[in-house]
Structures are given as structure tokens and as C-alpha cells.
Amino acid sequence: MNDIPGTEQSPPAAVDGLYFDGRSSRQHRVTLSVREQTAVLTGDVQRQCALSELRVSERFSRASRKVTFPDGAYLEVADTAAFNALLDTTGHRESPVARAQQHWRAALIALAATIVLLVLAYLYLLPAVSAFVANRLPPSIERRIGASALGFLDQHVFEPSQLPPARQDALVKRFTALQLPPGPVSSYRILFRKSRIGANALTLPSGEIILTDELVNLLDNDEAVMGVLAHEMGHVQKRHLMQRAIQGSVIGATVTVLFGDVSTLAANLSTLMLDMHYSRDAEREADDYAIATFKANGIPLSQLAYVFQKLGARGGTGPVPFLASHPAGSERIAHILNSR
């Protein structure tokens, strides 16, 4: 243990402190001394206890030291310099963590190591775990989440579709006739809605693919609409929505633990910023699924690129669906056309 500055004189034989019995708030003035590896209290309370049975609080520059007895009683010593000097005479050693906290270099190294571990966990462990969990959730849970989400959207965002039923059926039949990429196909259902947020398409965790009237009318091209549906089907197959929900929950909880519950807004903002990386990756995977679908059915990839050309020409797809976390339209168009 490091020497305490200004304590070159002989260590004190005893130090004064306040004793609490752990059952009431009453304080007792006592003197602590050490005799043959035994702590001895004298004064308002007479007590002895083997040093090996005591717990000593960590050393901080301006905090009292606390000695806890086996039955929950404890002693507080305000004169930390005198207590530390007395403690040194007993051969007591702080834990490695406590010793490291006394040295700024060790503390910085520990902080850097913690940051590196958190970054690696975020980049590699979190997506792997969330994908593992999402792929093993019972379908009943996904259905409940999807039903709740659809009810909220129908109440606050969507209105009944005004597309003729025959038009809706034609689009659904055309998509169901497509050959999808190899592998088991997840359960899905295509729904049409009129939207208050403009041209849009989205997928719910339960497999519902929602296509808005505004998007169908904007594209005015059935093959382009198939591209949108194939893209959303990629989200269904990869269970991106459930993965993002799990990731968001974990990130939100981690932010709260690390930074405290500052406010709901701050926690939500932190979660959104950290989750952008996963959103971009999910969009790329969904684009690749759509590309594979078009190739399997001999549909020109230019029709898929046309979707992003139309959306880019109108300045995006509204205030909600395609945030800055998504790959840029020009980047996606280039990726699609280069996949021929």
C-alpha cells in the first residue's frame, strides 16, 4: 500500500470513530485499536473482532472509511489518513481494482478496455444474439406484437385502402406467383392501406407486409411494385423487425445503466443513434433478397432500381420510413445495377 503524504511519524496506536449497531441510527463514540490481529473497540461500546472477519470500504480521497462487522454493525472513521496508517500496520491489502483506482494511468487503461469491449459487443455480439433470439421466438409472440402494432397504425397512421379490390388481388396474385430465393419461406400476408405519411411500405414482426395506395400510384409499374414487395419480404425472412426490437431493448437498458435514467427522450435518442448501423445493414440484406428474387424470375433489375429513382425524385418516402440510417438512394441504385 502506498505511503500517505505527511504521515512519516509512527502510525497511531488508535483512531476515533462512530459506531452503529446496524439496528438503529444511534451513534456511539469509540476508539479503534489493533492488538494481535484483533480489532478492539473502547468507549461507548466495548467490542472485539478478528481482523479476518471485518470488511473495510475502499479508499477514496474525501470519504470516510467504513469497517463492517459480521453482524451488520459498522464503524465510520473520518480521519482517513490516521486510519490508513493504522491499516497499513495490519498487513491489509486493497483489492486489485481498488488499488488501480488510486492510479490515473490504470484507471484510463481500464476505461479504454471497457470502451473497446462495449464496441466489440455492439458490433458483433449484439447482432448475433438478437438474430439467435429472434429466430427462436414462438410465432404466437410475433403475432401478438404484430397485431398490436397494426392496431396502433390503423388508428393513428393508416386509413382503409381506396385501391379497387381487383387491383389489390392482381398485385397479390402476381407476387405469390413469383419464385422466391431458395430456402423455407416465412408466413406473410400483404395488406393495403391509405397512408397519412405518403408513399410507403413496411413490414410487421408477424409477417404482414403493408403497401400504401400512395406508393402503388407513385410507381405506376407492377414490376416495380413487385420490387417493393420482394424487398419487404426480405425483412420478413430475416426477421429484421424483431431483431431491431431486441437490439433496441438491450441498447436502451445499457444506456440507462451506463449513463443513468436522465430522461426518456435521451434514452430513446441514444438508442436510435446506436441502432442506425443495424438499420443500414438490414436494408442492404433486404435489397439483396429483392435482387435474388428478380434474378430468379427474369425480371430486369432496372425495374428494382426504378423504385429508388422514383422515391428519390420526390425527395424520399415521407417523414418516417427512410431515415438517414438507410443507405442513400444513389448507393442502392448502383448496388442493384452492378448486381447483374
Side-chain angles (χ1 to χ4, degrees), residues 249-266:
S249 298
V250 174
I251 293 171
T254 303
V255 168
T256 300
V257 169
L258 291 178
F259 304 109
D261 189 13
V262 179
S263 69
T264 301
L265 177 61

Side-chain angles (χ1 to χ4, degrees), residues 134-135 137-147 204-208 239 242:
N135 288 326
L137 282 177
S140 58
I141 294 180
E142 295 180 329
R143 285 194 295 269
R144 286 202 299 271
I145 295 174
L204 301 182
S206 48
E208 281 85 1
R239 286 180 165 79
M242 282 308 306

Side-chain angles (χ1 to χ4, degrees), residues 102-275:
Q102 310 305 317
H103 304 279
W104 66 268
R105 288 187 180 86
L108 285 179
I109 292 173
L111 177 61
T114 300
I115 293 174
V116 170
L117 287 176
L118 287 174
V119 170
L120 291 177
Y122 166 71
L123 291 176
Y124 302 106
L125 182 61
L126 180 57
V129 171
S130 61
F132 178 85
V133 174
N135 288 326
R136 284 158 180 80
L137 282 177
S140 58
I141 294 180
E142 295 180 329
R143 285 194 295 269
R144 286 202 299 271
I145 295 174
S148 177
L150 183 59
F152 176 86
L153 292 171
D154 279 342
Q155 183 177 359
H156 299 283
V157 179
F158 295 140
E159 298 175 1
S161 174
Q162 296 181 1
L163 286 179
R167 174 72 170 140
Q168 296 182 31
D169 291 342
L171 291 173
V172 172
K173 289 179 179 177
R174 180 161 186 176
F175 183 74
T176 55
L178 293 180
Q179 178 182 344
L180 298 178
V185 178
S186 300
S187 175
Y188 71 95
R189 184 165 58 117
I190 300 174
L191 304 176
F192 295 86
R193 294 289 191 274
K194 179 176 174 57
S195 172
R196 300 173 188 173
I197 59 175
N200 200 348
L202 65 148
T203 302
L204 301 182
S206 48
E208 281 85 1
I209 298 174
I210 302 175
L211 200 60
T212 66
D213 297 356
E214 292 77 9
L215 184 57
V216 174
N217 294 330
L218 172 68
L219 296 178
D220 194 28
N221 181 319
D222 286 2
E223 289 187 336
V225 174
M226 293 304 104
V228 172
L229 291 175
H231 173 92
E232 296 302 323
M233 190 63 194
H235 287 313
V236 173
Q237 289 291 98
K238 298 293 185 178
R239 286 180 165 79
H240 286 151
L241 270 294
M242 282 308 306
Q243 289 186 43
R244 288 196 68 182
I246 294 168
Q247 291 161 1
S249 298
V250 174
I251 293 171
T254 303
V255 168
T256 300
V257 169
L258 291 178
F259 304 109
D261 189 13
V262 179
S263 69
T264 301
L265 177 61
N268 288 341
L269 178 61
S270 300
T271 300
L272 178 61
M273 292 175 64
L274 290 173
D275 196 38

Side-chain angles (χ1 to χ4, degrees), residues 9-130:
Q9 66 275 20
S10 299
V15 293
D16 295 328
L18 296 176
Y19 176 85
F20 299 86
D21 60 15
R23 296 185 293 273
S24 70
S25 60
R26 182 182 176 186
Q27 61 185 29
H28 308 270
R29 295 187 178 279
V30 298
T31 298
L32 169 67
S33 60
V34 177
R35 302 172 190 167
E36 298 180 355
Q37 296 300 305
T38 300
V40 180
L41 298 184
T42 56
D44 292 349
V45 173
Q46 309 292 320
R47 180 166 187 177
Q48 297 185 11
C49 184
L51 295 181
S52 60
E53 297 181 1
L54 299 176
R55 295 199 316 274
V56 181
S57 64
E58 294 182 5
R59 182 184 304 200
F60 294 99
S61 59
R62 292 182 177 84
S64 299
R65 298 300 297 268
K66 181 178 178 181
V67 180
T68 304
F69 290 78
D71 59 0
Y74 60 93
L75 173 70
E76 288 187 353
V77 180
D79 188 350
T80 57
F83 179 83
N84 293 338
L86 176 61
L87 196 61
D88 286 345
T89 66
T90 68
H92 174 80
R93 286 181 59 81
E94 305 275 6
S95 68
V97 173
R99 292 199 302 272
Q101 290 174 346
Q102 310 305 317
H103 304 279
W104 66 268
R105 288 187 180 86
L108 285 179
I109 292 173
L111 177 61
T114 300
I115 293 174
V116 170
L117 287 176
L118 287 174
V119 170
L120 291 177
Y122 166 71
L123 291 176
Y124 302 106
L125 182 61
L126 180 57
V129 171
S130 61

